[in-house]
Amino acid sequence: MGFALPTLGRHVLIEFYGCPSDIIENNRLIEKYMNEAADYAGATIVESVFHHFNPYGVSGAVIIAESHLTIHTWPEYGYASVDVYTCGDSVSPWKAADYLGEKLQAKKTESFEVPRGMVDKIKQYAEQDIHEVQVKPTLKGVK
C-alpha cells in the first residue's frame, strides 16, 4: 500500500459498458437506482433531479449531504457514465459504484478514484492561515 495525502473528498468515476438499453433508458428506474446507491453507501440524500432526453438518454443528480452522485446514459450504445463524489469518511463511494454495477447489469465496468481537495494545497492557497483541516486520510484505491 502506498502513501495517501489527506483530502476533503473522494471522487470515483465509473464507466459502465454493455448495459441493457431498457434499463438505462428508464428515467424512473435510473433515479430509483441512484437514490438506492446513495443510501446503500451510507449517504444522506438531500434531493434528486433527473431528466429524460428525447429520443433517448437520462441525466440526473442525487445531491447528498456529503456531495453528489451523477449519471448520464446513452441507451443506444449500452453505456452509462457515473460520478460518485463524497466528502468525509462516513460514506463509501465504492459501495455506491458496486451497487450501480449490479443494478445496471453492465458487462464491463471501469473505474478510478480521484482525490479532491488536497489539504496541503488548500492550506497553501487559503486567504487566511489554516492550521488544521479535519480530515481522515484515505488510501487511494482502498474500498
Side-chain angles (χ1 to χ4, degrees):
M1 289 195 185
F3 173 89
L5 295 174
T7 63
L8 295 180
R10 301 170 68 190
H11 195 163
V12 176
L13 293 89
I14 313 113
E15 310 274 294
F16 293 111
Y17 300 97
C19 302
S21 61
D22 60 325
I23 292 175
I24 62 173
E25 172 65 6
N26 187 324
N27 190 58
R28 287 189 179 141
L29 192 58
I30 292 295
E31 183 170 9
K32 177 181 184 285
Y33 289 161
M34 290 290 285
N35 277 278
E36 287 174 352
D39 187 56
Y40 181 72
T44 304
I45 298 169
V46 176
E47 84 176 282
S48 64
V49 177
F50 285 75
H51 177 78
H52 182 267
F53 291 97
N54 187 12
Y56 33 68
V58 174
S59 287
V62 177
I63 307 305
I64 58 176
E66 302 82 5
S67 200
H68 67 268
L69 289 77
T70 60
I71 189 168
H72 302 284
T73 73
W74 287 262
E76 68 274 31
Y77 304 126
Y79 170 75
S81 172
V82 173
D83 290 2
V84 180
Y85 187 174
T86 62
C87 298
D89 62 353
S90 64
V91 178
S92 170
W94 289 105
K95 283 182 78 172
D98 291 344
Y99 183 87
L100 289 169
E102 281 183 33
K103 293 299 184 179
L104 300 182
Q105 298 177 21
K107 290 180 183 168
K108 177 161 180 63
T109 300
E110 294 178 348
S111 56
F112 64 96
E113 183 173 332
V114 177
R116 302 297 301 268
M118 303 295 260
V119 171
D120 288 344
K121 286 184 182 179
I122 290 170
K123 287 180 180 180
Q124 182 179 355
Y125 295 103
E127 291 181 10
Q128 69 236 13
D129 260 354
I130 298 176
H131 299 288
E132 187 176 345
V133 176
Q134 298 295 323
V135 169
K136 180 179 177 183
T138 60
L139 294 177
K140 184 178 178 186
V142 174
K143 295 182 183 183

